């Protein structure tokens, strides 16, 4: 195997791209800006998908599927929505060899087509709430792309719910944000800050956008999920009204929320090291790899027999791979599984067997440890659990160490030029103009107005005007 990824400290961006390619998570597609998700990358996405799908169903949602094509006239019904999305859209003008009467947009998100259908399905308060999720691909034409983080086509889920009251819709928006936080922290082992986007960063067509923001190892922020309160904007655009218990007609309240294959990129960037991927056990496609070591037929039969018995001793929850290939060396296998981030590696050879033990290596620690065969399974299961928690703690410690509370603009500008700029907790006056200037001058953006804690009056870090609260600023993906 070709050795040596670029080091994170030398070129984080190249390290990431090389890692994604070499670990066979994804590859570049013939069409610029698109990517092929390879089986190992897709296996991670499948684990993300199945976990979230279960969480959505536990909170009362059902899945459906809406078409890829959206008539142009639908897109233009919500003014802010079309203004925000039209420049990024792919539009189909011909079909079946003829020019279409009405151009069709390839969905950049599905609010419009879904709300056109909700207009047919919602008549009475009895039809509410309507809690639908869709797993789909979407297209947003991107000029500058990066595997998983920003691609022209990507996979995602989009929840679209309809409610009788504003209170209920707001509760749903916040509830799904909490589902995303739980998933990010308990499964991805990535700590996140829950917050609200500024007006200029909110979703086109939303009243308010909530988000979770994560910190990557280069001190940049990554928006890992969003949940939008859409008010009655789409109900009005598509004339979706329902009859209340009292017989009055009212517009329906809406939410939408989504996460995408970008999470795979976040997972890679949050935990991996200079030797390859480090995957949290709860999302790793393979939990344990067993590498048998032998010379000659006699040893081979002995070692492989024991290794197979060991692999079979785990229950279906633990995915164990016995690497019995004999066309590559043990050392080659070690490197490959390290690159692929398998949480636990077990090495087993004749000398170990004679001592009644095997050697275990946890991917995040890298130290070899001899473990008696009779307790190996228990030890491995415990290590998998410990590793899940250790990754979250490590990421949390890093975020804390890389978050600064600053009050003067010069220090802020200097901080944004550091190799690891991190998060800055600072005051902001609330003006869009100041926000735009701040971005122009420092490349940082206001990531969110955090939900936790009490708003604290201070001064805007850029203009010095009074600020009602502190916000999180950072460079971002
Ligand atoms: Zn200001």
């Amino acid at each position: 195997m070709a050795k040596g990824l670029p080091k994170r400290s030398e070129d984080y961006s190249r390290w990431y791209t090389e890692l994604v390619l070499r670990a066979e998570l994804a590859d570049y597609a013939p069409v610029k800006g698109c990517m092929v998700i390879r089986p190992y990358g897709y296996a991670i996405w499948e684990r993300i998908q199945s976990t979230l799908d279960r969480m959505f169903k536990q909170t009362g949602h059902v899945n459906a599927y809406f078409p890829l094509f959206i008539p142009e006239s639908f897109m233009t019904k919500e003014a802010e929505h079309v203004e925000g999305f039209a420049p990024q859209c792919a539009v189909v003008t011909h079909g079946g060899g003829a020019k279409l009467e009405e151009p069709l947009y390839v969905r950049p998100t599905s609010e419009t087509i879904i709300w056109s259908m909700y207009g047919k399905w919602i008549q009475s308060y009895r039809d509410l709430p309507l809690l639908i999720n869709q797993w789909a691909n979407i297209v947003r034409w991107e000029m500058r792309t990066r595997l998983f983080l920003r691609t022209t086509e990507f996979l995602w889920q989009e929840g679209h719910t309809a409610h009788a009251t504003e209170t209920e819709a707001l509760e749903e928006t916040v509830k799904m944000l909490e589902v995303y936080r739980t998933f990010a922290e308990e499964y991805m082992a990535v700590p996140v800050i829950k917050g609200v986007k500024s007006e200029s960063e909110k979703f086109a067509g939303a009243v308010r956008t909530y988000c979770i923001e994560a910190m990557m190892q280069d001190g940049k922020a990554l928006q890992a999920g969003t949940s939008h309160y859409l008010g009655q904007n789409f109900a009005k655009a598509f004339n979706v009204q329902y009859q209340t218990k009292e017989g009055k007609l009212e517009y329906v309240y809406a939410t939408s929320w989504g996460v995408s294959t970008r999470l795979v990129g976040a997972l890679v960037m949050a935990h991996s090291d200079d030797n390859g991927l480090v995957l949290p056990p709860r999302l790793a496609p393979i939990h344990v790899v067993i590498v048998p070591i032998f010379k000659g037929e006699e040893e081979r039969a002995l070692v492989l027999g024991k290794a197979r018995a060991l692999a079979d001793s785990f229950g279906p929850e633990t995915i164990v791979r016995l690497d019995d290939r004999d066309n590559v060396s043990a050392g080659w296998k070690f490197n490959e599984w390290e690159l692929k981030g398998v949480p636990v590696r077990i090495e087993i050879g004749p000398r170990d067997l004679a001592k009644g033990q095997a050697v275990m290596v946890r991917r995040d620690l890298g130290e070899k440890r001899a473990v008696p065969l009779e307790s190996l399974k228990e030890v491995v299961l415990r290590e998998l659990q410990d590793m899940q928690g250790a990754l979250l703690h490590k990421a949390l410690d890093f975020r804390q160490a890389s978050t600064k509370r600053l009050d003067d603009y010069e220090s802020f500008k200097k901080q944004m030029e550091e190799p690891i700029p991190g998060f800055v907790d600072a005051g902001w006056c609330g003006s869009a103009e100041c926000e735009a200037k701040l971005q122009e001058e420092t490349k940082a953006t206001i990531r969110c107005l955090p939900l936790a804690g009490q708003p604290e009056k201070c001064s805007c870090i850029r203009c010095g005007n009074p600020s009602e609260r502190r916000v999180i600023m950072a460079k971002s993906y």
Side-chain angles (χ1 to χ4, degrees):
M1 174 174 304
K3 244 318 220 186
L5 282 168
K7 288 201 183 336
R8 285 165 296 168
S9 57
E10 284 164 11
D11 192 342
Y12 190 81
S13 166
R14 207 163 69 81
W15 164 81
Y16 171 77
T17 304
E18 287 279 312
L19 178 52
V20 167
L21 292 170
R22 288 201 207 179
E24 300 182 344
L25 299 180
D27 205 347
Y28 294 108
V31 175
K32 191 174 172 286
C34 292
M35 71 168 166
V36 176
I37 305 176
R38 300 185 67 175
Y40 197 61
Y42 201 77
I44 296 175
W45 175 242
E46 281 179 319
R47 291 187 78 85
I48 291 175
Q49 194 181 28
S50 63
T51 307
L52 281 170
D53 199 63
R54 178 169 44 78
M55 294 169 89
F56 297 158
K57 284 169 181 161
Q58 279 166 350
T59 42
H61 304 85
V62 289
N63 287 331
Y65 187 77
F66 295 83
L68 171 69
F69 299 124
I70 301 178
E72 184 173 51
S73 55
F74 285 22
M75 285 300 294
T76 53
K77 276 189 179 165
E78 215 289 331
E80 280 184 22
H81 190 65
V82 69
E83 197 185 312
F85 279 104
Q88 285 182 286
C89 283
V91 184
V92 178
T93 55
H94 288 72
K99 190 163 189 284
L100 300 176
E101 271 179 37
E102 181 179 5
L104 298 174
Y105 278 57
V106 179
R107 64 179 162 224
T109 178
S110 303
E111 277 76 7
T112 57
I113 192 129
I114 288 179
W115 278 86
S116 78
M117 299 311 295
Y118 283 5
K120 278 172 84 173
W121 301 341
I122 299 169
Q123 270 95 43
S124 140
Y125 69 90
R126 289 183 205 90
D127 301 323
L128 296 170
L130 193 52
L131 307 173
I132 292 181
N133 175 62
Q134 149 165 287
W135 291 97
N137 59 338
I138 59 170
V139 167
R140 294 178 186 172
W141 218 258
E142 294 284 356
M143 294 302 152
R144 295 180 58 200
T145 58
R146 296 188 79 184
L147 296 167
F148 287 112
L149 301 175
R150 197 171 288 279
T151 48
T152 291
E153 182 196 9
F154 56 91
L155 304 181
W156 80 341
Q157 59 71 216
E158 46 182 324
H160 294 273
T161 67
H163 305 266
T165 65
E166 173 171 36
T167 312
E168 233 185 77
L170 274 168
E171 273 170 16
E172 166 81 5
T173 316
V174 174
K175 182 202 278 178
M176 298 323 287
L177 188 73
E178 176 59 15
V179 166
Y180 289 155
R181 184 205 64 79
T182 305
F183 176 76
E185 297 189 344
E186 292 182 10
Y187 288 82
M188 296 177 63
V190 173
V192 292
I193 294 176
K194 291 204 289 187
V196 178
K197 285 286 179 195
S198 68
E199 279 296 298
S200 62
E201 297 273 337
K202 76 177 187 191
F203 177 78
V207 174
R208 195 180 305 153
T209 288
Y210 292 85
C211 61
I212 49 169
E213 294 285 327
M215 186 190 285
M216 302 296 103
Q217 289 182 76
D218 61 348
K220 283 193 193 172
L222 185 139
Q223 177 182 295
T226 47
S227 184
H228 315 292
Y229 170 60
L230 304 172
Q232 294 175 313
N233 292 349
F234 286 88
K236 284 183 177 160
F238 288 87
N239 196 28
V240 186
Q241 287 179 296
Y242 75 101
Q243 195 165 37
T244 66
K245 273 184 197 160
E246 296 74 33
K248 284 194 293 187
L249 272 185
E250 290 248 22
Y251 285 107
V252 176
Y253 292 87
T255 83
S256 68
W257 29 272
V259 298
S260 71
T261 34
R262 184 166 227 238
L263 291 184
V264 179
L267 198 60
V268 172
M269 289 205 299
H271 304 301
S272 303
D273 63 23
D274 293 345
N275 296 325
L277 297 175
V278 175
L279 297 175
R282 293 183 93 175
L283 294 176
I286 300 169
H287 295 123
V288 181
V289 65
I290 302 175
V291 180
I293 299 161
F294 50 80
K295 281 196 198 92
E297 265 317 302
E298 200 180 316
E299 274 187 16
R300 179 191 153 92
L302 176 78
V303 172
L304 272 185
K306 197 71 203 169
R308 275 205 191 98
L310 181 64
D312 292 342
S313 71
F314 287 90
E317 295 290 293
T318 313
I319 303 161
V320 182
R321 170 79 66 90
L322 170 61
D323 188 353
D324 59 0
R325 290 175 292 175
D326 44 20
N327 53 358
V328 290
S329 71
W332 201 94
K333 291 176 185 177
F334 296 165
N335 286 335
E336 181 177 13
W337 296 117
E338 196 167 45
L339 178 68
K340 292 210 160 179
V342 174
V344 170
R345 180 176 87 220
I346 295 168
E347 308 167 15
I348 187 164
R351 250 175 293 170
D352 300 310
L353 283 183
K355 285 191 246 170
Q357 65 179 41
V359 172
M360 186 191 73
V361 185
R362 207 172 93 180
R363 176 61 184 87
D364 58 328
L365 303 176
E367 288 159 13
K368 294 193 178 209
R369 179 178 150 196
V371 180
L373 285 172
E374 67 262 26
S375 59
L376 189 57
K377 186 180 147 191
E378 280 66 30
V379 172
V380 166
L381 293 179
R382 197 172 57 232
E383 290 297 331
L384 286 172
Q385 239 179 15
D386 288 355
M387 178 174 167
Q388 182 75 34
L391 290 183
L392 178 63
H393 278 120
K394 193 176 169 199
L396 194 57
D397 286 348
F398 175 75
R399 189 184 80 191
Q400 271 159 0
S402 312
T403 301
K404 298 217 156 56
R405 190 184 156 98
L406 296 177
D407 290 301
D408 78 285
Y409 201 44
E410 284 314 307
S411 324
F412 178 71
K413 283 200 267 190
K414 243 184 242 153
Q415 185 59 37
M416 285 304 119
E417 272 155 32
E418 290 290 323
I420 294 178
F423 287 179
V424 170
D425 167 348
W428 169 51
C429 60
S431 107
E433 197 199 335
C434 200
E435 184 183 9
K437 281 265 166 11
L438 184 126
Q439 181 172 5
E440 211 177 281
E441 289 158 5
T442 68
K443 305 268 193 302
T445 48
I446 294 167
R447 300 314 303 160
C448 71
L449 289 57
L451 294 181
Q454 290 298 316
E456 181 193 321
K457 283 193 177 17
C458 56
S459 304
C460 176
I461 194 160
R462 190 183 161 274
C463 70
N465 284 341
S467 162
E468 289 300 312
R469 54 170 311 140
R470 301 185 78 90
V471 302
I472 299 293
M473 301 175 179
K475 288 185 174 174
S476 73
Y477 282 96

